[in-house]
Amino acid sequence: MAQYDYYPRYGLENYSFVLPMEKKFDSVASTLWMQENWHHSIALSTFYIISLYAGQKIMESRKPFYLEGPLFYWNMFLAVFSLSGVVRMTPEMFWSVGSNSFEYSICTASFAQGVTGFWTEMFAMSKVFEFVDTWFIVLRKKPLIFLHWYHHVTVLVYTWHAYKDHTASGRWFIWMNYGVHALMYSYYALRAAQFRVPRLIAMTVTVLQIAQMVMGVYIGYRVFNIKSAGQSCQQTNENLYFSFLIYFSYFCLFCHFFYKAYLRPNNRYAKKVGQNGDVKQGNGALNKEHGEDKANNGVLKAQNGTKKFQNGTTKLQNGSITQNGTKGLNTILNDQHEPLGQNGIHQNGTIKNQKPNRRRVAKIE
């Protein structure tokens, strides 16, 4: 069903500048390759799922990897890539709707060539590389929810299946996904860099994802009506039903995620007031992923330090001084009063001072 020449179209001549790889893009070769190899997306997805299961089993007996640095750069790379994609596809999108019609934008796949053709191919290939997102979760031993891996698998298979036939509504799917991912991966990059991102930003990302699914279902509905009326629209029935299935399932899953994350009582952003009037976040414990401080029952323990404070008593683990509520006391340690061991050495391991009147003085304040 794919074509190799469309008219009217938004060609290279309409862009103020064209990148070398965009100019060299061969839509015919790209489409033929996808028609011959799209089914490998199923094999890749199967291997992906098996590797996740095996990876989680392997990590059960191991400590999580600290990968915030690589995770930051990975998310920044995907954010810049997605931003580039939406910027390069936006002029053609506005032209297809503004200079033609909404029906043209969902039924004529003129975007599958030229500049937008290159970024369409990059979009399809990127769905394989986005599997790396999940491996960061596995190696860091973070919770892996069904929505995450299900979304990755179905998007890859659907995208390759749609690309082989130049599904016209893919213009909208790709453009929306590039835009949402540009914001989403920027958000993830900030999180990886330990920035405290406001709750509103996280909610906005999820709302945009839900809006994307609503638009996907609506586009499928419009295509179905056009085809039912006997008009031409470049999308196979097989791919149309596939799009209905996955977009509706995404809508349900993302709505459920939104409820659990932001609306349900005791969600991860909810604040609770403790018995002592202190405000607690989440489960009431303050955990620093990269620190070792824990506050519990008024006891402050510094694991890498040498001091422990408990019930007003200060103990120096590697020292020899203990203070029990006394302040400003001068303690005099006289070597002469300590019992001697063999060869004139005190039992505490110190050598007897040759001058009996000299004393060691420790001042505690």
Side-chain angles (χ1 to χ4, degrees):
M1 188 175 178
Q3 301 178 27
Y4 303 108
D5 194 20
Y6 295 90
Y7 186 83
R9 66 182 182 183
Y10 196 83
L12 298 178
E13 65 278 3
N14 297 104
Y15 283 86
S16 58
F17 70 93
V18 178
L19 300 175
M21 60 273 200
E22 296 171 340
K23 191 173 183 179
K24 293 179 181 179
F25 174 69
D26 187 341
S27 62
V28 176
S30 177
T31 304
L32 290 175
W33 184 92
M34 189 60 72
Q35 289 175 344
E36 296 174 358
N37 296 280
W38 79 269
H39 59 278
H40 291 314
S41 63
I42 301 175
L44 288 170
S45 297
T46 303
F47 175 77
Y48 164 74
I49 294 173
I50 294 174
S51 69
L52 294 183
Y53 177 79
Q56 288 183 313
K57 287 295 182 181
I58 293 173
M59 290 301 297
E60 282 182 355
S61 58
R62 289 170 170 79
K63 294 182 179 180
F65 288 91
Y66 178 76
L67 299 172
E68 269 62 20
L71 182 60
F72 168 77
Y73 290 110
W74 174 250
N75 285 321
M76 280 303 300
F77 165 74
L78 290 178
V80 173
F81 168 76
S82 300
L83 181 61
S84 301
V86 72
V87 167
R88 298 303 282 166
M89 294 197 70
T90 294
E92 197 276 342
M93 169 61 77
F94 286 1
W95 170 85
S96 66
V97 177
S99 299
N100 295 280
S101 64
F102 179 74
E103 286 73 17
Y104 175 91
S105 70
I106 63 175
C107 288
T108 305
S110 57
F111 71 96
Q113 54 192 358
V115 172
T116 49
F118 170 79
W119 287 100
T120 297
E121 181 185 61
M122 290 298 98
F123 178 83
M125 295 298 106
S126 71
K127 297 308 159 187
V128 178
F129 296 107
E130 286 178 5
F131 283 170
V132 176
D133 294 352
T134 319
W135 269 102
F136 274 109
I137 293 176
V138 172
L139 294 176
R140 295 165 66 229
K141 299 185 74 171
K142 300 295 183 180
L144 178 59
I145 62 176
F146 171 77
L147 171 59
H148 179 93
W149 65 263
Y150 169 76
H151 182 260
H152 275 299
V153 166
T154 50
V155 165
L156 172 64
V157 177
Y158 176 78
T159 300
W160 284 30
H161 185 272
Y163 185 34
K164 74 180 180 67
D165 292 323
H166 288 188
T167 299
S169 56
R171 171 189 279 110
W172 279 90
F173 302 154
I174 296 169
W175 181 71
M176 290 189 298
N177 196 260
Y178 267 141
V180 173
H181 277 199
L183 177 61
M184 182 187 75
Y185 282 114
S186 298
Y187 164 76
Y188 288 153
L190 292 175
R191 288 282 302 274
Q194 305 302 314
F195 282 95
R196 297 182 64 86
V197 184
R199 176 190 180 190
L200 180 61
I201 301 299
M203 293 181 66
T204 300
V205 172
T206 308
V207 168
L208 289 175
Q209 290 172 321
I210 294 174
Q212 180 184 352
M213 307 318 161
V214 172
M215 190 63 181
V217 173
Y218 173 72
I219 289 174
Y221 169 75
R222 289 292 299 271
V223 171
F224 177 80
N225 285 341
I226 292 172
K227 292 175 70 70
S228 298
Q231 300 177 31
S232 175
C233 195
Q234 197 166 340
Q235 184 171 9
T236 64
N237 290 332
E238 181 184 42
N239 187 266
L240 177 60
Y241 299 145
F242 193 1
S243 70
F244 267 127
L245 174 64
I246 64 171
Y247 270 105
F248 183 72
S249 65
Y250 294 160
F251 172 77
C252 295
L253 290 171
F254 273 102
C255 285
H256 181 253
F257 173 80
F258 185 88
Y259 170 76
K260 288 181 61 179
Y262 310 113
L263 302 180
R264 186 181 65 177
N266 300 324
N267 65 73
R268 61 182 179 180
Y269 290 99
K271 291 183 178 180
K272 300 178 182 179
V273 179
Q275 295 180 353
N276 298 326
D278 55 328
V279 178
K280 299 180 180 181
Q281 184 76 23
N283 59 4
L286 175 61
N287 294 323
K288 295 183 179 180
E289 291 184 6
H290 312 302
E292 300 296 339
D293 294 345
K294 297 182 179 179
N296 186 18
N297 299 326
V299 180
L300 176 62
K301 297 180 180 180
Q303 294 182 354
N304 298 324
T306 59
K307 296 182 179 180
K308 293 184 178 179
F309 298 88
Q310 185 175 10
N311 300 324
T313 301
T314 304
K315 296 181 180 180
L316 301 182
Q317 292 180 339
N318 59 351
S320 60
I321 303 170
T322 301
Q323 177 182 348
N324 294 315
T326 305
K327 188 174 182 180
L329 175 65
N330 291 333
T331 303
I332 301 176
L333 303 178
N334 192 341
D335 290 341
Q336 290 181 331
H337 296 163
E338 296 175 356
L340 294 177
Q342 295 180 355
N343 301 323
I345 300 178
H346 291 296
Q347 292 180 358
N348 64 356
T350 60
I351 301 176
K352 180 181 178 182
N353 200 317
Q354 297 298 326
K355 296 181 180 180
N357 293 328
R358 294 186 63 182
R359 299 172 179 177
R360 291 182 299 168
V361 179
K363 184 178 181 180
I364 303 177
E365 295 182 351

Short mmCIF file of all heavy atoms in Angstrom, two decimals, residues 7 40 47-48 67 75 92 119 252 260 281 296 320 327 339:
data_model
loop_
_atom_site.label_atom_id
_atom_site.label_comp_id
_atom_site.label_asym_id
_atom_site.label_seq_id
_atom_site.Cartn_x
_atom_site.Cartn_y
_atom_site.Cartn_z
N TYR A 7 1.74 13.75 -4.04
CA TYR A 7 1.48 15.12 -4.45
C TYR A 7 0.08 15.51 -4.02
O TYR A 7 -0.85 14.73 -4.22
CB TYR A 7 1.61 15.28 -5.97
CG TYR A 7 1.50 16.72 -6.41
CD1 TYR A 7 2.61 17.57 -6.37
CD2 TYR A 7 0.27 17.24 -6.84
CE1 TYR A 7 2.49 18.89 -6.75
CE2 TYR A 7 0.16 18.56 -7.22
CZ TYR A 7 1.26 19.38 -7.17
OH TYR A 7 1.15 20.70 -7.54
N HIS A 40 10.78 -8.59 12.44
CA HIS A 40 11.85 -8.74 13.43
C HIS A 40 11.54 -7.94 14.70
O HIS A 40 12.15 -8.19 15.75
CB HIS A 40 13.19 -8.28 12.85
CG HIS A 40 13.72 -9.19 11.78
ND1 HIS A 40 13.75 -10.56 11.91
CD2 HIS A 40 14.23 -8.92 10.54
CE1 HIS A 40 14.26 -11.11 10.82
NE2 HIS A 40 14.56 -10.13 9.97
N PHE A 47 12.83 -11.05 22.83
CA PHE A 47 14.14 -11.07 23.48
C PHE A 47 14.20 -10.04 24.61
O PHE A 47 14.78 -10.30 25.68
CB PHE A 47 15.24 -10.79 22.46
CG PHE A 47 16.61 -10.67 23.06
CD1 PHE A 47 17.32 -11.79 23.45
CD2 PHE A 47 17.20 -9.42 23.24
CE1 PHE A 47 18.58 -11.68 24.03
CE2 PHE A 47 18.45 -9.29 23.80
CZ PHE A 47 19.15 -10.43 24.20
N TYR A 48 13.60 -8.90 24.38
CA TYR A 48 13.57 -7.83 25.38
C TYR A 48 12.88 -8.30 26.66
O TYR A 48 13.40 -8.11 27.77
CB TYR A 48 12.85 -6.63 24.77
CG TYR A 48 12.36 -5.57 25.72
CD1 TYR A 48 13.24 -4.67 26.32
CD2 TYR A 48 11.00 -5.43 25.99
CE1 TYR A 48 12.78 -3.67 27.16
CE2 TYR A 48 10.53 -4.43 26.82
CZ TYR A 48 11.42 -3.56 27.41
OH TYR A 48 10.95 -2.57 28.24
N LEU A 67 23.81 4.53 38.77
CA LEU A 67 23.92 4.90 37.35
C LEU A 67 23.32 6.26 37.05
O LEU A 67 22.92 6.53 35.92
CB LEU A 67 23.23 3.83 36.49
CG LEU A 67 23.79 2.41 36.58
CD1 LEU A 67 22.89 1.45 35.82
CD2 LEU A 67 25.21 2.37 36.02
N ASN A 75 19.15 10.25 29.10
CA ASN A 75 17.89 10.99 28.99
C ASN A 75 18.06 12.31 28.25
O ASN A 75 17.17 12.72 27.49
CB ASN A 75 17.31 11.25 30.39
CG ASN A 75 16.71 10.01 31.00
OD1 ASN A 75 16.06 9.21 30.33
ND2 ASN A 75 16.92 9.81 32.29
N GLU A 92 5.90 20.61 8.30
CA GLU A 92 5.11 19.76 7.41
C GLU A 92 3.75 19.45 8.02
O GLU A 92 2.73 19.38 7.30
CB GLU A 92 5.88 18.46 7.14
CG GLU A 92 5.38 17.66 5.93
CD GLU A 92 4.20 16.77 6.23
OE1 GLU A 92 3.96 16.47 7.43
OE2 GLU A 92 3.50 16.36 5.28
N TRP A 119 13.10 11.64 9.45
CA TRP A 119 12.78 11.62 10.88
C TRP A 119 11.73 10.58 11.21
O TRP A 119 11.64 10.13 12.36
CB TRP A 119 12.35 13.02 11.33
CG TRP A 119 13.53 13.93 11.40
CD1 TRP A 119 13.91 14.87 10.47
CD2 TRP A 119 14.52 13.95 12.42
NE1 TRP A 119 15.07 15.48 10.85
CE2 TRP A 119 15.47 14.94 12.06
CE3 TRP A 119 14.71 13.25 13.60
CZ2 TRP A 119 16.58 15.22 12.84
CZ3 TRP A 119 15.81 13.55 14.38
CH2 TRP A 119 16.73 14.52 14.00
N CYS A 252 -6.31 3.57 29.13
CA CYS A 252 -6.73 2.97 30.40
C CYS A 252 -5.56 2.87 31.38
O CYS A 252 -5.68 3.21 32.56
CB CYS A 252 -7.35 1.59 30.17
SG CYS A 252 -8.89 1.61 29.22
N LYS A 260 -3.14 6.52 40.61
CA LYS A 260 -2.28 5.98 41.66
C LYS A 260 -1.19 6.96 42.06
O LYS A 260 -0.84 7.07 43.24
CB LYS A 260 -1.64 4.67 41.19
CG LYS A 260 -2.60 3.49 41.09
CD LYS A 260 -1.87 2.24 40.64
CE LYS A 260 -0.79 1.84 41.61
NZ LYS A 260 -0.10 0.60 41.20
N GLN A 281 6.90 12.97 54.48
CA GLN A 281 6.66 12.76 53.05
C GLN A 281 6.61 11.27 52.77
O GLN A 281 7.50 10.53 53.16
CB GLN A 281 7.78 13.40 52.23
CG GLN A 281 7.57 13.31 50.73
CD GLN A 281 6.54 14.30 50.25
OE1 GLN A 281 6.29 15.29 50.88
NE2 GLN A 281 5.92 14.03 49.11
N ASN A 296 15.54 8.72 63.36
CA ASN A 296 14.61 7.74 63.92
C ASN A 296 14.63 7.85 65.43
O ASN A 296 15.66 7.63 66.06
CB ASN A 296 15.00 6.34 63.48
CG ASN A 296 13.97 5.31 63.90
OD1 ASN A 296 12.83 5.68 64.21
ND2 ASN A 296 14.35 4.05 63.93
N SER A 320 38.80 8.59 74.15
CA SER A 320 38.79 7.97 75.47
C SER A 320 38.02 8.80 76.47
O SER A 320 38.14 8.62 77.67
CB SER A 320 40.23 7.79 75.95
OG SER A 320 40.88 9.04 76.01
N LYS A 327 29.61 19.72 82.16
CA LYS A 327 30.16 20.66 81.20
C LYS A 327 31.23 21.49 81.89
O LYS A 327 31.06 21.96 83.01
CB LYS A 327 29.05 21.56 80.65
CG LYS A 327 29.50 22.43 79.51
CD LYS A 327 28.31 23.17 78.93
CE LYS A 327 28.73 24.01 77.74
NZ LYS A 327 27.61 24.73 77.14
N PRO A 339 48.62 1.63 87.03
CA PRO A 339 49.47 0.47 87.32
C PRO A 339 50.42 0.18 86.18
O PRO A 339 50.08 0.37 85.02
CB PRO A 339 48.46 -0.67 87.51
CG PRO A 339 47.24 -0.22 86.77
CD PRO A 339 47.21 1.27 86.90
#
